[in-house]
Amino acid sequence: MFEKVLVANRGEIAVRVMRACEELGIGTVAIYSEADKDAGHVRYADEAYNVGPARAAESYLDQEAIIEAAIRADADAIHPGYGFLAENAEFAARVEATEDITWVGPSSESMEQLGEKTKARSVMEAADVPIVPGTTEPVTDPEEIHEFGEEHGYPVAIKAEGGGGGRGIKIVNEPDEAEEQLESAKREGEAYFSNDSVYLERFLDNARHIEIQILADKHSNVRHLGERDCSLQRRRQKLIEEGPSPALTDDLREQISEAARRGAATADYYNAGTFEFIVEDTNRNDDGLLGEDTDYYFLEVNTRIQVEHTVTEQLTDIDIVKWQIRIAAGEELTVAQDDIQLEGHAMEFRINAENAANDFAPATGGTLDVYDPPGGIGVRVDDAQRQDDALVTDYDSMIAKLITFGEDRTECIARGKRALADYDIQGFPTIIPFHRLMLTDETFLEGRHNTKYLDEGLDPERIDAAQERWGPEIVNTENGDDEDVVEREFTVEVNGKRFEVNLEERGAPPLPTNGSNQHNPRPSSSSSGGTKRGGSSGNSSGSVTTEGEQITAEMQGTILSVNVDEGDEVDAGDVLCVLEAMKMENDIVASHSGTVVEIPIQESQSVDMGDPLIVID
């Protein structure tokens, strides 16, 4: 078994992996960016190393810096978590090629074969697994989309080869949209996965999203751990996941599960992975369920642990992360397929720092003035934050996961209602009010929702009412009373390795620190401190030098493209630039006609809310 594992990730998943390591008697190493120097995963680890600035491309995606940190820490394995480099076959190969360090995941060859969607489709065809009609070669020309649409009909889905988590997917509803959506999908693929290759699929308009958890070892043992239903999505971003699916008969779930196991075996896959399927929700039986004659299609393989792996762990009592580590160390699975049974019902609620009543806009800053997670029987919380922590807005908006478990779906939902009501987060909005609404929603309670329900079937006014009823009051506590005794925590780095120094101030004014490193005063009984920051990575745009109307950033994000040049004439509604924020592309448009007189930004630059983007005269 390994002696020390570096977790190449952040937030709750980094802590989740470290907890598994701790139970196995393995030391842990964290990496962190400048924005995360006070983060929970850094506090939890045995040791931590700074790998770069806030911008992910210069820190959490810096392969060389991460491997160098592992070597310096004398780690003998790297676990990637999910997101960032978790499905990057090149990074896996670099780790595999590094002496005395083991990659905790599938082989780089399997990741390349199954991680790129067109190759995965070919493998599934060979394994006799149904696939959605689509292309098996990358698409580069809008005319290819036109031809595909004429043959299979619209809408057409354009998908990034390396995509996942709803990113790199664009829907073409009519031929005129093909060129714009193709460029957008390629741009997202390059930005998120360093791969602008895309392919096409027939877009299934009325479907459920079902995924099968796989565990396989290096001794040709392949097991499936049942299914999860991830149909409650907004813009292809999952919000609530559950298992077993409330829509499938036992016969259909067994068909899909065996198809996934067959596909994994054909691909010589090992470690944890998720095989995702689309199930057509068209012909339900007299019990309101989808039976064995229902059409289902392979969607993709996620060659990593999933956000919603917790659902399967609750149903099977199998620690998937521990088995990832054991398999990487060469151990053989000790459980037979027939011994794996799904008991009860589980749901996972993603606790995102977003305002559901404001089109799920991510919070742009704030501090956890109150953080009081729920407990009790049948309740699990995976998180990394603690009270007084600052919200880091440079990355994903998910701050925690709430998982509830019951003897059946009814009890699971009842525990979900209780736990969500008990979950007290103050300082910025979260989607807890939205989750509480869904547990009263008739369509969801009956299990009749599909992947388009939130985007097309749910009345937005109900979300507004839920936010008003259950949302927190945002109170500014910036100028609180001075404390007689204040403990301050300082970070010292020696050769890039993090050390913490604690200092008590008694009856003295706060010690000055410089810029973004200033900590808020906190009582000496507090276990952690937060840094006040608005999410800037230090690369935000500067002041403008010309007169005119400034088009400013409505949220913190990264400039993906600049569509105009100085001197261009623009009309109201023209797209000036594209801003990526919290996995979403946002078109920044001209509010009126005029001439572009200044562009104080450039592609790949990070900007803060309120920063000037374009000046129009």
Side-chain angles (χ1 to χ4, degrees):
M1 183 51 69
F2 307 116
E3 293 186 2
K4 189 185 292 187
V5 171
L6 181 143
V7 184
N9 218 291
R10 63 180 299 278
E12 58 82 22
I13 185 55
V15 172
R16 166 70 185 93
V17 174
M18 291 173 190
R19 285 172 174 156
C21 289
E22 186 174 20
E23 292 180 17
L24 291 170
I26 300 171
T28 56
V29 181
I31 60 169
Y32 64 96
S33 71
E34 291 292 344
D36 268 341
K37 63 181 180 293
D38 299 312
H41 74 285
V42 179
R43 293 193 297 261
Y44 194 93
D46 296 323
E47 54 188 292
Y49 291 81
N50 186 334
V51 290
R55 187 165 176 259
E58 300 174 44
S59 52
Y60 294 111
L61 294 175
D62 188 334
Q63 300 181 24
E64 184 175 347
I66 294 170
I67 293 176
E68 180 183 343
I71 294 172
R72 290 165 60 195
D74 199 25
D76 47 4
I78 292 178
H79 192 302
Y82 48 67
F84 294 127
L85 294 169
E87 292 185 277
N88 190 303
E90 178 190 351
F91 179 59
R94 292 184 69 168
V95 175
E96 291 168 342
T98 303
E99 188 175 0
D100 297 327
I101 297 181
T102 299
W103 170 252
V104 181
S107 69
S108 58
E109 292 84 358
S110 286
M111 292 178 66
E112 182 177 6
Q113 183 182 43
L114 295 178
E116 291 194 357
K117 307 304 187 283
T118 54
K119 292 181 180 179
R121 286 166 59 84
S122 297
V123 173
M124 293 304 110
E125 275 191 309
D128 195 27
V129 176
I131 64 172
V132 180
T135 61
T136 54
E137 295 295 331
V139 171
T140 59
D141 192 315
E143 186 57 37
E144 296 176 81
I145 302 173
H146 297 160
E147 294 173 358
F148 186 87
E150 290 175 4
E151 180 179 355
H152 297 284
Y154 289 90
V156 174
I158 308 175
K159 296 188 173 185
E161 285 270 19
R167 291 168 289 183
I169 301 176
K170 298 299 173 182
I171 306 301
V172 179
N173 293 295
E174 54 188 37
D176 290 346
E177 299 175 357
E179 183 173 1
E180 179 183 350
Q181 298 290 52
L182 175 61
E183 290 305 313
S184 182
K186 289 168 65 70
R187 189 166 58 237
E188 278 195 11
E190 178 63 35
Y192 287 115
F193 313 107
S194 300
N195 182 355
D196 69 353
S197 181
V198 299
Y199 68 102
L200 306 179
E201 278 186 354
R202 180 165 70 89
F203 182 69
L204 300 176
D205 198 37
N206 193 32
R208 297 189 75 90
H209 186 134
I210 304 295
E211 59 187 31
I212 308 298
Q213 178 69 58
I214 290 291
L215 267 182
D217 61 27
K218 298 179 181 179
H219 307 278
S220 301
N221 298 304
V222 182
R223 307 286 184 261
H224 74 74
L225 308 186
E227 96 276 9
R228 298 184 291 256
D229 192 316
C230 306
S231 300
L232 197 76
Q233 305 177 5
R234 176 184 175 271
R235 297 182 184 174
R236 295 172 294 281
Q237 291 289 315
K238 304 168 187 174
L239 295 174
I240 299 177
E241 301 97 346
E242 64 179 306
S245 170
L248 306 187
T249 61
D250 289 340
D251 288 339
L252 181 57
R253 65 169 44 95
E254 183 63 20
Q255 277 188 39
I256 300 173
S257 296
E258 283 302 317
R261 191 157 74 125
R262 197 164 59 244
T266 300
D268 294 324
Y269 189 89
Y270 62 77
N271 213 271
T274 301
F275 284 62
E276 300 196 352
F277 294 84
I278 288 292
V279 179
E280 292 208 270
D281 192 353
T282 52
N283 296 308
R284 297 203 176 205
N285 62 22
D286 294 340
D287 295 324
L289 300 176
L290 298 169
E292 58 184 337
D293 294 331
T294 301
D295 289 330
Y296 65 91
Y297 304 99
F298 168 79
L299 185 62
E300 64 184 25
V301 180
N302 289 295
T303 56
R304 54 173 167 79
I305 195 73
Q306 288 275 96
V307 175
E308 57 273 20
H309 73 278
T310 57
V311 170
T312 301
E313 290 181 332
Q314 297 303 119
L315 297 175
T316 62
D317 200 29
I318 292 174
D319 189 320
I320 299 172
V321 177
K322 278 187 184 178
W323 270 112
Q324 282 191 291
I325 297 167
R326 288 171 171 151
I327 290 168
E331 293 188 19
E332 187 171 356
L333 286 169
T334 57
V335 60
Q337 185 63 61
D338 291 343
D339 295 333
I340 298 172
Q341 301 295 326
L342 274 62
E343 301 289 344
H345 200 94
M347 285 186 177
E348 178 183 275
F349 305 88
R350 300 193 185 199
I351 309 301
N352 298 341
E354 300 171 358
N355 186 345
N358 185 25
D359 199 28
F360 287 80
T364 56
T367 300
L368 282 165
D369 301 324
V370 174
Y371 185 71
D372 188 9
I377 189 168
V379 174
R380 167 180 171 178
V381 176
D382 280 20
D383 60 13
Q385 287 77 21
R386 293 296 176 262
Q387 190 155 308
D388 296 329
D389 280 1
L391 176 67
V392 176
T393 59
D394 298 79
Y395 314 108
D396 192 280
S397 61
M398 187 175 70
I399 59 172
K401 302 183 304 197
L402 169 66
I403 304 95
T404 60
F405 174 78
E407 200 170 293
D408 53 28
R409 193 169 188 257
T410 299
E411 184 176 61
C412 180
I413 288 172
R415 287 176 174 165
K417 289 179 178 179
R418 169 178 64 80
L420 287 164
D422 288 348
Y423 210 149
D424 191 5
I425 299 177
Q426 303 288 334
F428 46 80
T430 72
I431 61 171
I432 288 176
F434 164 80
H435 288 316
R436 297 182 69 177
L437 168 65
M438 294 317 301
L439 295 191
T440 66
D441 180 77
E442 184 176 347
T443 300
F444 179 78
L445 294 178
E446 292 179 353
R448 292 186 172 274
H449 57 288
N450 55 35
T451 55
K452 66 178 183 179
Y453 176 61
L454 293 185
D455 292 326
E456 300 179 14
L458 184 65
D459 184 355
E461 292 186 1
R462 295 182 61 203
I463 299 178
D464 297 343
Q467 187 69 33
E468 184 175 351
R469 179 181 179 185
W470 292 310
E473 288 187 28
I474 308 301
V475 179
N476 185 358
T477 59
E478 184 81 22
N479 297 316
D481 295 335
D482 291 336
E483 299 286 343
D484 291 334
V485 179
V486 175
E487 180 185 326
R488 299 177 69 82
E489 179 182 286
F490 294 86
T491 300
V492 179
E493 290 180 10
V494 179
N495 293 327
K497 183 177 180 179
R498 171 195 170 97
F499 297 89
E500 293 181 356
V501 179
N502 294 323
L503 176 68
E504 280 191 359
E505 302 173 59
R506 296 177 179 270
L511 293 178
T513 58
N514 55 4
S516 64
N517 290 328
Q518 183 167 348
H519 287 61
N520 298 314
R522 54 188 170 92
S524 59
S525 61
S526 174
S527 62
S528 62
T531 300
K532 282 284 186 183
R533 64 171 72 83
S536 173
S537 68
N539 297 321
S540 57
S541 56
S543 59
V544 298
T545 59
T546 55
E547 294 184 358
E549 181 177 348
Q550 296 182 17
I551 308 299
T552 60
E554 296 182 354
M555 62 190 73
Q556 186 273 339
T558 301
I559 301 299
L560 292 185
S561 69
V562 180
N563 297 9
V564 293
D565 295 315
E566 290 183 6
D568 284 356
E569 297 291 330
V570 296
D571 294 323
D574 285 352
V575 178
L576 306 175
C577 62
V578 178
L579 173 69
E580 181 276 323
M582 297 300 179
K583 300 183 181 178
M584 298 289 185
E585 286 194 12
N586 302 275
D587 290 339
I588 307 301
V589 301
S591 57
H592 67 284
S593 300
T595 303
V596 176
V597 294
E598 187 172 355
I599 306 175
I601 56 168
Q602 58 187 0
E603 289 185 7
S604 301
Q605 179 175 324
S606 296
V607 296
D608 278 338
M609 182 174 65
D611 281 350
L613 305 178
I614 306 288
V615 182
I616 299 176
D617 188 18

